[in-house]
Amino acid sequence: MNHWIIAPVVLPAMLAPLIAYVMRHDITLQRATSILGAVLLVAVATGLFLLSADGSVHVYRLGDWPAPFGIVLVLDRLSALLILLTSVLGLIVLIHASASGWDRRGRHFHALMMFQLMGICGAFLTGDAFNLFVLFEILLIASYGLTIHSGGKARLQSGLQYVIMNLAGSTLFLIALGTLYATTGTLNIADLSVKVREIPVEDAALVRVAAMLLMIVFAVKAALFPVQFWLPGTYANAPAPVAALFAIMTKVGAYAILRMHTIVFGPDAAAIGTLSQDWLMPAALITIAIGGFGVMGARRLMPLIAFAVLGSTGTLMLAVSAFTPYAAQAALYYLLHSTFAAAALFLFADLLLTKRESGDLLRAAPATVQNGLLASLFFVGAIGIAGMPPLSGFLGKLLVLDALRSADYTWLVWTVVLAGSLLTIVGFVRAGSLLFWKSTSPALAGPMEPESEEEAPPPEARLGPMLVAPTMAMLIMLALLTVFAGPVSRHMEATAGQLFDPGAYIDAVLVDQPDTKDLSAHGEEH
């Protein structure tokens, strides 16, 4: 076994309590340790990405117990890609939080960030459905603390809604797992794939119930209609660096649907058939529409970005809902783009809120210092999230639309995606004109309504390089995805091909299956 596979889980898990208890009174030491840990996590993730690039599947058996009895971590192209994405995003967000001082506005920020990274990386690696639930809970507990970091009435209200919604999802998750275990006798993903396909269609009613319950649970995590209403309020009121990290949170739900509903509940499983696709595609279309209209109706910058993220989530899940290798390739490319685009806009919003006297209200106000720089960052981020050329969002949406050409109701799919993009463009144009073009004198600006209860830095202070660099890094990622679209798309094609041909995954996990059958028979004798 390659012990580096467990490092993305163990490394932040070891650093988090060390930061929380040993370094709790020294913010400088906390920053240095968490950023160093994030750098090491990026290095490990890069190594694992290269290890899996040849298409091999690597399995780590905790305690050297064979599947399906033991806990396994599975590294393939998909999990390696998303761990690398998470680690890079986490490093950039930590740098911004340290440079902006957000980590000083509450307790245990860096420890919670480490637990968050641990939960996300573990969710991408686990090969067991129950441990997916456990890791979901770890990342959600950390996200609860990060959501209400630095306090405030609006933040506590949205955080409470977020907690209640996800607790309900966790309850459904347990019910689904219990149902699945009762019908198949296992929760190992590879073993489930085998067992579900052995169940006759006429006896698979409970399996279909479990599959749809899991779909609802993952839809909550992905913020998909009709359980999407928690996202705009939570993302709009969370601290900006936390909202930027949360750009990967909805992708955990998308990943879980991709993993479980291809390997376990794929269209080739007679017990399930096209049930997943039949429900997922309409929900994705409605989510796109809600996101577009939300952008148009937003009166503050943070809700504007949050609704744009919701629309991009709908586009991603629309590609996932086709459950074909080409659509999955498009979904994975768009997943990378939408993560960096959303994070860039949230970090930009934090920069703007420290400069603008009227906070995130979308109305005319006196021009800020470095107005040109901020306007440029907003412009690039806006065309990225809206899917306009020349950035990767345009290529991503083209791939999604091309992958859905042969889908049922193609005309409706294209209409909703293009109309959602148009609404997003119009909403961001309106916001940009109010934020940067229609400046007023202080006397004409009127009374300013504070956007939060926090004390912001003086508006006249100039942004230093360390404050601007994280946002620039996110935007550079979008440019790199465009420049290297060919190699990236080819890797996504190989990743999607491996996902939809899970033979290597199943064989690698169940390599000791003959021995485990003997153990099981021996146990029954006793």
Side-chain angles (χ1 to χ4, degrees), residues 348 351-352 354-355 367-377 436 459-465 467-468:
F348 155 79
L351 298 181
L352 184 67
T354 64
K355 308 282 290 179
T368 63
V369 179
Q370 296 174 294
N371 195 64
L373 171 64
L374 292 170
S376 299
L377 294 176
F436 303 108
E460 66 275 5
R462 297 184 65 84
L463 298 172
L467 271 175
V468 179

Short mmCIF file of all heavy atoms in Angstrom, two decimals, residues 348 351-352 354-355 367-377 436 459-465 467-468:
data_model
loop_
_atom_site.label_atom_id
_atom_site.label_comp_id
_atom_site.label_asym_id
_atom_site.label_seq_id
_atom_site.Cartn_x
_atom_site.Cartn_y
_atom_site.Cartn_z
N PHE A 348 -12.70 38.98 -4.32
CA PHE A 348 -12.81 40.35 -4.83
C PHE A 348 -13.78 41.16 -3.98
O PHE A 348 -13.52 42.32 -3.63
CB PHE A 348 -13.26 40.36 -6.29
CG PHE A 348 -13.94 41.64 -6.67
CD1 PHE A 348 -13.20 42.77 -6.97
CD2 PHE A 348 -15.33 41.73 -6.68
CE1 PHE A 348 -13.82 43.97 -7.28
CE2 PHE A 348 -15.96 42.92 -7.00
CZ PHE A 348 -15.20 44.04 -7.31
N LEU A 351 -12.24 42.49 -0.99
CA LEU A 351 -11.40 43.66 -1.27
C LEU A 351 -12.24 44.92 -1.42
O LEU A 351 -11.89 45.98 -0.88
CB LEU A 351 -10.60 43.42 -2.55
CG LEU A 351 -9.62 42.25 -2.58
CD1 LEU A 351 -8.91 42.19 -3.93
CD2 LEU A 351 -8.60 42.37 -1.45
N LEU A 352 -13.35 44.80 -2.13
CA LEU A 352 -14.19 45.98 -2.37
C LEU A 352 -14.84 46.48 -1.08
O LEU A 352 -14.95 47.69 -0.87
CB LEU A 352 -15.25 45.64 -3.42
CG LEU A 352 -16.15 46.81 -3.83
CD1 LEU A 352 -15.33 47.87 -4.58
CD2 LEU A 352 -17.30 46.34 -4.69
N THR A 354 -13.77 46.54 1.83
CA THR A 354 -12.85 47.29 2.68
C THR A 354 -12.60 48.69 2.13
O THR A 354 -11.97 49.51 2.80
CB THR A 354 -11.50 46.57 2.79
OG1 THR A 354 -10.88 46.52 1.50
CG2 THR A 354 -11.68 45.17 3.32
N LYS A 355 -13.10 48.98 0.92
CA LYS A 355 -12.81 50.26 0.27
C LYS A 355 -14.05 51.14 0.12
O LYS A 355 -13.93 52.35 0.06
CB LYS A 355 -12.26 50.00 -1.14
CG LYS A 355 -11.08 49.05 -1.20
CD LYS A 355 -9.79 49.70 -0.79
CE LYS A 355 -9.35 50.71 -1.80
NZ LYS A 355 -8.09 51.39 -1.38
N ALA A 367 -16.35 57.25 -5.81
CA ALA A 367 -15.35 56.34 -6.38
C ALA A 367 -14.30 56.00 -5.33
O ALA A 367 -13.89 56.83 -4.53
CB ALA A 367 -14.70 57.00 -7.59
N THR A 368 -13.87 54.75 -5.33
CA THR A 368 -12.91 54.29 -4.35
C THR A 368 -11.48 54.54 -4.82
O THR A 368 -11.22 54.76 -6.01
CB THR A 368 -13.08 52.78 -4.10
OG1 THR A 368 -12.80 52.09 -5.32
CG2 THR A 368 -14.49 52.46 -3.66
N VAL A 369 -10.56 54.49 -3.87
CA VAL A 369 -9.15 54.48 -4.22
C VAL A 369 -8.87 53.17 -4.97
O VAL A 369 -9.46 52.13 -4.68
CB VAL A 369 -8.28 54.57 -2.94
CG1 VAL A 369 -6.80 54.55 -3.29
CG2 VAL A 369 -8.63 55.84 -2.17
N GLN A 370 -7.99 53.21 -5.97
CA GLN A 370 -7.69 52.04 -6.82
C GLN A 370 -8.95 51.52 -7.52
O GLN A 370 -9.16 50.32 -7.69
CB GLN A 370 -7.06 50.92 -5.99
CG GLN A 370 -5.70 51.29 -5.39
CD GLN A 370 -5.16 50.23 -4.46
OE1 GLN A 370 -5.74 49.98 -3.40
NE2 GLN A 370 -4.06 49.59 -4.85
N ASN A 371 -9.79 52.46 -7.92
CA ASN A 371 -11.05 52.10 -8.56
C ASN A 371 -10.82 51.30 -9.84
O ASN A 371 -11.55 50.35 -10.15
CB ASN A 371 -11.86 53.36 -8.88
CG ASN A 371 -13.31 53.05 -9.20
OD1 ASN A 371 -14.04 52.57 -8.35
ND2 ASN A 371 -13.71 53.34 -10.44
N GLY A 372 -9.79 51.67 -10.60
CA GLY A 372 -9.50 50.97 -11.84
C GLY A 372 -9.09 49.53 -11.62
O GLY A 372 -9.52 48.63 -12.34
N LEU A 373 -8.26 49.30 -10.60
CA LEU A 373 -7.84 47.94 -10.30
C LEU A 373 -9.02 47.07 -9.89
O LEU A 373 -9.20 45.95 -10.38
CB LEU A 373 -6.80 47.96 -9.16
CG LEU A 373 -6.41 46.61 -8.58
CD1 LEU A 373 -5.72 45.75 -9.63
CD2 LEU A 373 -5.52 46.79 -7.35
N LEU A 374 -9.87 47.60 -9.00
CA LEU A 374 -11.02 46.84 -8.55
C LEU A 374 -12.00 46.58 -9.68
O LEU A 374 -12.57 45.49 -9.80
CB LEU A 374 -11.71 47.58 -7.40
CG LEU A 374 -10.91 47.65 -6.10
CD1 LEU A 374 -11.57 48.60 -5.11
CD2 LEU A 374 -10.78 46.28 -5.47
N ALA A 375 -12.20 47.58 -10.54
CA ALA A 375 -13.10 47.41 -11.68
C ALA A 375 -12.59 46.33 -12.63
O ALA A 375 -13.36 45.53 -13.16
CB ALA A 375 -13.28 48.73 -12.42
N SER A 376 -11.28 46.28 -12.82
CA SER A 376 -10.69 45.26 -13.70
C SER A 376 -10.88 43.87 -13.13
O SER A 376 -11.24 42.92 -13.85
CB SER A 376 -9.20 45.55 -13.91
OG SER A 376 -9.00 46.81 -14.51
N LEU A 377 -10.66 43.72 -11.82
CA LEU A 377 -10.85 42.41 -11.19
C LEU A 377 -12.31 41.97 -11.29
O LEU A 377 -12.60 40.79 -11.57
CB LEU A 377 -10.43 42.47 -9.72
CG LEU A 377 -8.94 42.70 -9.44
CD1 LEU A 377 -8.70 42.85 -7.94
CD2 LEU A 377 -8.10 41.57 -10.00
N PHE A 436 -18.81 50.96 -10.16
CA PHE A 436 -17.58 51.60 -10.65
C PHE A 436 -17.79 52.73 -11.64
O PHE A 436 -16.88 53.53 -11.86
CB PHE A 436 -16.70 50.53 -11.32
CG PHE A 436 -16.36 49.39 -10.43
CD1 PHE A 436 -16.93 48.15 -10.61
CD2 PHE A 436 -15.49 49.56 -9.36
CE1 PHE A 436 -16.64 47.09 -9.78
CE2 PHE A 436 -15.18 48.50 -8.52
CZ PHE A 436 -15.76 47.26 -8.73
N PRO A 459 -11.79 53.20 4.40
CA PRO A 459 -11.97 53.07 2.96
C PRO A 459 -10.81 53.64 2.15
O PRO A 459 -10.56 53.20 1.04
CB PRO A 459 -13.27 53.85 2.70
CG PRO A 459 -13.98 53.86 4.02
CD PRO A 459 -12.90 53.90 5.05
N GLU A 460 -10.11 54.64 2.68
CA GLU A 460 -9.05 55.27 1.89
C GLU A 460 -7.76 54.46 1.87
O GLU A 460 -6.83 54.79 1.15
CB GLU A 460 -8.77 56.68 2.43
CG GLU A 460 -8.17 56.74 3.85
CD GLU A 460 -9.23 56.69 4.93
OE1 GLU A 460 -10.41 56.51 4.57
OE2 GLU A 460 -8.89 56.85 6.12
N ALA A 461 -7.66 53.41 2.70
CA ALA A 461 -6.44 52.60 2.74
C ALA A 461 -6.24 51.89 1.41
O ALA A 461 -7.18 51.38 0.81
CB ALA A 461 -6.52 51.60 3.89
N ARG A 462 -4.99 51.83 0.94
CA ARG A 462 -4.70 51.18 -0.32
C ARG A 462 -4.49 49.68 -0.10
O ARG A 462 -4.03 49.25 0.95
CB ARG A 462 -3.44 51.80 -0.96
CG ARG A 462 -3.60 53.26 -1.32
CD ARG A 462 -2.35 53.79 -2.03
NE ARG A 462 -2.16 53.13 -3.31
CZ ARG A 462 -2.77 53.51 -4.44
NH1 ARG A 462 -3.64 54.52 -4.42
NH2 ARG A 462 -2.54 52.89 -5.58
N LEU A 463 -4.84 48.93 -1.11
CA LEU A 463 -4.70 47.48 -1.05
C LEU A 463 -3.25 47.10 -1.34
O LEU A 463 -2.70 47.48 -2.37
CB LEU A 463 -5.62 46.81 -2.06
CG LEU A 463 -7.13 47.04 -1.86
CD1 LEU A 463 -7.90 46.49 -3.04
CD2 LEU A 463 -7.59 46.38 -0.57
N GLY A 464 -2.66 46.33 -0.43
CA GLY A 464 -1.29 45.88 -0.64
C GLY A 464 -1.24 44.67 -1.57
O GLY A 464 -2.25 44.03 -1.85
N PRO A 465 -0.05 44.33 -2.04
CA PRO A 465 0.10 43.19 -2.96
C PRO A 465 -0.40 41.88 -2.38
O PRO A 465 -0.98 41.07 -3.10
CB PRO A 465 1.61 43.16 -3.22
CG PRO A 465 2.11 44.52 -2.90
CD PRO A 465 1.22 45.04 -1.81
N LEU A 467 -2.82 41.38 -0.42
CA LEU A 467 -4.28 41.35 -0.42
C LEU A 467 -4.82 41.04 -1.82
O LEU A 467 -5.80 40.32 -1.97
CB LEU A 467 -4.85 42.68 0.07
CG LEU A 467 -5.08 42.83 1.58
CD1 LEU A 467 -5.52 44.24 1.91
CD2 LEU A 467 -6.13 41.82 2.04
N VAL A 468 -4.18 41.60 -2.82
CA VAL A 468 -4.67 41.44 -4.20
C VAL A 468 -4.23 40.11 -4.81
O VAL A 468 -4.92 39.53 -5.64
CB VAL A 468 -4.18 42.61 -5.07
CG1 VAL A 468 -4.66 42.47 -6.52
CG2 VAL A 468 -4.66 43.94 -4.50
#
